[in-house]
Amino acid sequence: TTVRVGELMLYLDQMTAVLGATKLDLTRKEYEVLCWLARHAGVVQSRATLLQEVWGFPTAEQTRLVDI
C-alpha cells in the first residue's frame, strides 16, 4: 500500500518515503511520525495526539519528545 501527499510517496510495506525523486533517509520513528501526519494531511495535530498515536503514551505527559 502507498500513501501520497503531493510529491511525497510513502510505501508502507517497505517503510520507504520518497519526495519527488529523492528517497528520504529517516529513522523508524521519523517515518512513523511522517506516516501519521500524511494520513491526516490538512488536519492540525496536537502534541497530545502525536504522543498517544505515534508513541503510544496513554496520556499527554509533560514531555518535549515531540519537539525533539
Side-chain angles (χ1 to χ4, degrees):
T1 9
T2 61
V3 174
R4 181 181 183 150
V5 179
E7 292 188 42
L8 176 67
M9 290 292 296
L10 299 171
Y11 299 95
L12 304 177
D13 55 339
Q14 300 171 10
M15 290 188 64
T16 304
V18 178
L19 182 60
T22 305
K23 181 178 176 185
L24 303 178
D25 184 27
L26 303 172
T27 66
R28 181 180 186 93
K29 193 54 72 178
E30 289 169 339
Y31 180 80
E32 291 172 3
V33 171
L34 184 59
C35 282
W36 175 260
L37 294 174
R39 288 180 173 161
H40 299 88
V43 179
V44 175
Q45 300 296 323
S46 70
R47 172 181 278 113
T49 298
L50 288 173
L51 287 170
Q52 290 171 358
E53 299 298 328
V54 178
W55 275 270
F57 289 179
T59 60
E61 301 173 16
Q62 294 292 337
T63 180
R64 303 308 293 182
L65 186 60
V66 174
D67 299 342
I68 295 169

